[in-house]
């Protein structure tokens, strides 16, 4: 059975977006994964079809209504749906490759894209939404973030990546950033390829790559070398 993604959004036309092209796009047309978009506004009940309202307690902006969003969720991912329910949110737990891999091993995912100031807390609590962030910056909406999550997951689905091996030596998979890459021409603007890579000695090449990966990680992301507390069980 294919991996089923359901995305709840006020902007369904933003999908499949980047996911309609290249690796993810091919996998979509081959049925490796399946995308359903849900227009949250279709579940509004008043005559203005409103999905948001002013924040309790005052302040700027608008808040997405709990009742409308819950109706959209219940109609498309009810209590018996085994898929995790994510809410894209800058307050969420930062997305990791570990979480991505766990999602790829499951039956699919339900993703809620926020807009405005955010979502009424009661629907987050009442529908057990897992808040997930793609980084410490603020986007205007959850749609791009949802595509980031799905892109990372889809490339790991069986049969999507041509070379199965390339999934395992990559950045983060072994807790390190990846080593540098080179290809032809052998010399470009006076720069050559490190000799070891053209030696044909695979043991040496492996050692060189491992050392470069460790060096890069120490320089750029020392935090990856010290296991993060918040990453446990992610
Ligand atoms: N007022 C909120 C930001 C709202 S941004 C706050 O300060 O936390 C509007 C929507 O964009 C959010 O509901 C969320 O769905 C999405 N979004 C913004 N930044 C994001 C991020 N870093 N990761 C995931 N989703 C994000």
């Amino acid at each position: 059975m294919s991996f089923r993604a359901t995305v709840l959004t006020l902007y369904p036309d933003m999908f499949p977006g980047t996911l309609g092209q290249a690796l993810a796009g091919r996998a979509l047309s081959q049925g490796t994964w399946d995308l359903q978009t849900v227009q949250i506004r279709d579940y509004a009940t008043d005559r203005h079809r409103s999905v948001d309202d002013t924040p309790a307690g005052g302040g700027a902006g608008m808040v997405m209504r709990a009742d409308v969003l819950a109706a959209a969720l219940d109609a498309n991912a009810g209590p018996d749906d085994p898929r995790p329910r994510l809410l894209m949110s800058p307050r969420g737990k930062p997305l990791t490759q570990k979480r991505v891999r766990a999602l790829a091993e499951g039956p699919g995912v339900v993703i809620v894209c926020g807009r405005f100031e955010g979502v009424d807390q009661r629907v987050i609590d009442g529908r057990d939404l897992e808040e997930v962030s793609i980084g410490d910056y603020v986007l205007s909406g959850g749609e791009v973030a949802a595509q980031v999550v799905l892109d990372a997951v889809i490339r790991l689905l069986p049969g999507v990546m041509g070379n199965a091996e390339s999934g395992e030596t990559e950045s983060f998979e072994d807790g390190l950033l990846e080593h540098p890459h080179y290809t032809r021409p052998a010399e470009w603007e006076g720069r050559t390829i490190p000799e070891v890579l053209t030696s044909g000695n695979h043991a040496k090449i492996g050692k060189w790559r491992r050392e470069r990966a460790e060096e890069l990680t120490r320089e750029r992301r020392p935090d990856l070398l010290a296991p993060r507390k918040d990453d446990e069980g992610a």
Side-chain angles (χ1 to χ4, degrees):
M1 241 192 34
S2 66
F3 182 93
R4 284 174 53 234
T6 296
V7 177
L8 288 81
T9 170
L10 292 170
Y11 298 95
D13 290 349
M14 290 184 180
F15 290 84
T18 64
L19 304 173
Q21 306 274 320
L23 222 64
R26 213 172 310 126
L28 182 59
S29 51
Q30 287 171 351
T32 308
W33 70 289
D34 168 78
L35 174 66
Q36 176 199 13
T37 54
V38 175
Q39 169 56 276
I40 297 168
R41 197 173 295 282
D42 289 347
Y43 295 87
T45 49
D46 63 343
R47 70 188 174 89
H48 299 294
R49 301 219 302 153
S50 56
V51 294
D52 59 323
D53 210 331
T54 54
M62 300 293 273
V63 176
M64 276 172 86
R65 288 169 56 143
D67 54 347
V68 177
L69 188 51
L73 274 165
D74 295 346
N76 295 284
D80 295 335
D81 197 311
R83 296 173 297 168
R85 287 185 292 274
L86 272 46
L87 168 65
M88 301 320 303
S89 160
R91 295 191 323 197
K93 196 165 174 180
L95 185 67
T96 60
Q97 189 64 17
K98 195 170 165 187
R99 185 72 188 100
V100 165
R101 198 165 271 286
L103 287 171
E105 282 162 9
V109 65
V110 178
I111 304 183
V112 178
C113 303
R115 279 275 156 181
F116 320 114
E117 285 307 313
V119 173
D120 188 311
Q121 184 63 38
R122 294 171 296 178
V123 68
I124 302 177
D125 298 337
R127 291 297 179 274
D128 248 335
L129 302 182
E130 172 190 345
E131 291 183 76
V132 172
S133 166
I134 63 158
D136 291 344
Y137 38 78
V138 180
L139 306 168
S140 55
E143 288 76 10
V144 168
Q147 288 182 29
V148 168
V149 173
L150 289 172
D151 182 286
V153 169
I154 290 157
R155 62 192 286 285
L156 297 182
L157 298 176
V160 173
M161 259 187 299
N163 178 0
E165 207 198 332
S166 74
E168 282 151 32
T169 65
E170 259 157 359
S171 291
F172 310 117
E173 288 290 354
D174 55 2
L176 296 174
L177 302 180
E178 201 181 43
H179 57 78
H181 298 286
Y182 298 88
T183 185
R184 279 179 282 271
E187 189 183 330
W188 173 76
E189 292 192 348
R191 296 167 192 266
T192 54
I193 295 174
E195 229 175 88
V196 55
L197 296 181
T198 51
S199 69
N201 182 333
H202 291 286
K204 267 193 175 166
I205 293 172
K207 181 167 176 280
W208 181 90
R209 286 182 169 161
R210 178 82 196 178
E211 285 167 2
R212 294 294 80 70
E214 287 170 0
E215 192 176 274
L216 269 177
T217 310
R218 257 194 314 277
E219 268 169 37
R220 297 183 183 177
R221 294 293 305 278
D223 58 298
L224 293 178
L225 298 172
R228 276 189 299 182
K229 280 200 204 85
D230 66 24
D231 200 29
E232 271 152 35

